[in-house]
Amino acid sequence: MSSSRSRRVEYDRFIPFRSAMDMDYARFALTGPSRPQRDGSRESPSSVAYQKLLDECILKNRSRILAFKTAPEASASKLPEFDEPIRPQKKQQRRIPKEPERVLVIHGLLDDNVLNLLDWGSNNVLAIGLEDAVYLWDAANESTKLLQPKEDRGPITCIRWSPDCAVLAVAFGNSDLSLIDPATGHVVDGMEDENQAPVLSLAWRSNSILTVGRFDGTVVDYDFRKDDMFICFYNGHRRGVCSLKWSVLSGRYLASGGQDKLVHIWDACMLVSRDHPRQRQWLHRISSHTSIVKAVDWCPTRSNLLASGGGCNDHCVKFWNTVNGACLNSIDAGSEVCALLWDKNKSELLTSHGSPNNQLTLWNYPSMTRVAEVSGHSSRVLSLAGSPLGGVVASAAADETVRSVVGNIAMGSFVVSKRQHIFIQAHGFEIFKYERNRLRFLMIFNMALVSHEDITLHT
């Protein structure tokens, strides 16, 4: 008798089972073009979802041409519909906390727009130059330290970490320049020359070569490994050099801004004259600014892009091609541009301003649309310093009051006591407290992951 139950046919595992193969798919897989490997991060959500449905419904996620056994029966589950709309996930907007996290306490920051008293090193330590000392704050463990050089050297005019943060260069009002070991607080090297003009700006070209800009317009390279430290002299400025920046990517170009309203671009590889082997001539001289130029910074992703900002009579942020010296764009910011800082991870630029709003403005490059503004200062914001980890910016100003800062960047509050103490508090990171009648403060803003869709203003 024949059994009602169907017989299962067994086949040799080394011989393909032709009746179980899809010959149309086999022909397509053999003759069709190979599909490149897709990168889901670069495709739209709808494209990724469409390809997933195509593989599941039509191609059935097959990767083999030959079949050695019968295919299992297909499940009766309902297939997804192609015309079903794909809803992208909504971005989660950040909320600003109502309470501050922590507070640091310092005093004695000078109010002078040509000085450079703020720097954040690659060791994640923020250095603040006071009248007669340097205040260090370690952002990793929140520890603080005070470096007090010897007295009678005048106020500190400029500070700058070396690239490896082994030393901190500190310039004084009596023209002295010291390299201080931050661990011990001892001076490991330096220069003392009363005949030189005071130092206004510093820029490290390497861990041993330091470029110095002085009040009389001189710019000099020094190599502290040699007995004769003097390397070369940059001839161009007629007044104080208040900004120096070496290009981060190439390390070849130097930008300088001064009180003479000039911006110079120098090429370290340019040939020098036989008559003056230690004197370098500028590659490009930019004279389109109408006020002091302290705000200068190189783009961290494009080696030939430089941004500069003019002072109280200028109000402009300009972008320069350092290959031919051409101006790529010029934007009227509406007020004095005191400092500017490129974002290390995005095509964004942060600028600090003076009267009337004394705000920080975050710009999108190259469209130069305003992404966000922070109006928390009542006086011009003198300096900016970015965290080496990115996303956090410190700003120093000459305020005596602080109001709430709106936006999805930071929020601050203040309390003034009877003894004229100001407690400045910011969400995310520290703010500082100053004493004396000439009150100064430093505010740190959290600029992490700010985008056009993220901004939410709170009143």
Side-chain angles (χ1 to χ4, degrees), residues 57-351:
C57 302
I58 306 300
L59 303 179
K60 300 180 180 179
N61 292 323
R62 288 174 293 189
S63 59
R64 292 183 178 183
I65 298 176
L66 303 178
F68 296 92
K69 60 181 179 179
T70 55
E73 295 182 1
S75 61
S77 59
K78 182 182 177 181
L79 294 176
E81 298 179 1
F82 286 96
D83 57 351
E84 184 179 352
I86 299 174
R87 297 169 182 168
Q89 294 182 351
K90 293 183 178 180
K91 279 195 173 182
Q92 185 178 3
Q93 293 186 346
R94 299 187 302 275
R95 294 294 179 181
I96 302 173
K98 296 182 180 181
E99 298 296 332
E101 294 184 1
R102 55 190 77 89
V103 177
L104 296 180
V105 180
I106 61 173
H107 64 85
L109 185 67
L110 295 178
D111 179 14
D112 196 328
N113 67 329
V114 300
L115 304 183
N116 293 273
L117 303 175
L118 187 67
D119 193 29
W120 207 326
S122 60
N123 57 354
N124 205 14
V125 176
L126 182 67
I128 306 103
L130 309 179
E131 287 183 320
D132 53 1
V134 179
Y135 186 87
L136 303 180
W137 174 65
D138 193 331
N141 54 27
E142 305 176 18
S143 62
T144 60
K145 189 174 184 179
L146 194 65
L147 304 179
Q148 291 183 310
K150 60 182 181 181
E151 299 178 355
D152 300 329
R153 305 179 72 179
I156 294 175
T157 58
C158 184
I159 59 174
R160 191 68 64 201
W161 285 105
S162 63
D164 59 0
C165 291
V167 294
L168 178 68
V170 181
F172 299 89
N174 66 344
S175 303
D176 288 356
L177 178 64
S178 298
L179 303 185
I180 301 177
D181 184 352
T184 62
H186 298 156
V187 177
V188 297
D189 210 335
M191 297 181 298
E192 295 182 1
D193 190 352
E194 296 181 355
N195 298 323
Q196 296 280 356
V199 175
L200 297 182
S201 56
L202 298 168
W204 289 91
R205 185 180 178 187
S206 66
N207 289 323
S208 57
I209 299 178
L210 179 63
T211 305
V212 177
R214 297 185 181 271
F215 187 76
D216 58 358
T218 59
V219 180
V220 181
D221 276 353
Y222 295 99
D223 190 343
F224 289 93
R225 298 170 298 182
K226 302 178 179 179
D227 294 334
D228 181 14
M229 294 184 294
F230 175 79
I231 299 178
C232 63
F233 165 71
Y234 299 84
N235 183 24
H237 286 283
R238 298 186 292 267
R239 295 182 61 189
V241 181
C242 51
S243 182
L244 287 173
K245 287 289 179 68
W246 281 99
S247 59
V248 179
L249 293 179
S250 65
R252 173 178 176 177
Y253 296 103
L254 172 68
S256 61
Q259 293 177 300
D260 52 7
K261 309 174 187 178
L262 296 177
V263 176
H264 286 96
I265 300 173
W266 317 81
D267 186 356
C269 298
M270 181 181 289
L271 297 177
V272 296
S273 171
R274 291 184 178 180
D275 299 331
H276 304 283
R278 291 193 174 188
Q279 179 174 319
R280 294 193 180 276
Q281 188 65 20
W282 41 264
L283 177 64
H284 300 295
R285 168 176 280 181
I286 299 169
S287 58
S288 60
H289 284 290
T290 59
S291 185
I292 178 176
V293 183
K294 183 191 175 186
V296 173
D297 197 19
W298 292 92
C299 178
T301 58
R302 305 177 188 180
S303 60
N304 62 339
L305 180 58
L306 176 72
S308 62
C312 57
N313 297 324
D314 187 284
H315 302 176
C316 289
V317 179
K318 298 178 182 291
F319 299 89
W320 308 94
N321 184 339
T322 59
V323 176
N324 54 20
C327 181
L328 302 176
N329 196 4
S330 180
I331 298 295
D332 188 352
S335 60
E336 171 187 7
V337 183
C338 304
L340 59 83
L341 188 68
W342 284 95
D343 189 288
K344 295 181 180 181
N345 303 317
K346 299 180 182 179
S347 294
E348 291 180 341
L349 183 74
L350 181 69
T351 56

Side-chain angles (χ1 to χ4, degrees), residues 103-107 376-378 397-403 412-425 431-443:
V103 177
L104 296 180
V105 180
I106 61 173
H107 64 85
H377 297 284
S378 61
D399 297 38
E400 293 186 1
T401 60
V402 176
R403 292 179 177 86
S413 60
F414 73 96
V415 177
V416 181
S417 68
K418 296 181 180 179
R419 298 175 59 187
Q420 293 184 339
H421 292 184
I422 290 186
F423 297 83
I424 306 162
Q425 303 171 336
I431 301 264
F432 303 87
K433 164 190 143 188
Y434 295 86
E435 301 178 3
R436 303 182 183 180
N437 295 329
R438 232 176 3 153
L439 298 178
R440 315 282 180 248
F441 75 85
L442 185 124
M443 179 178 291

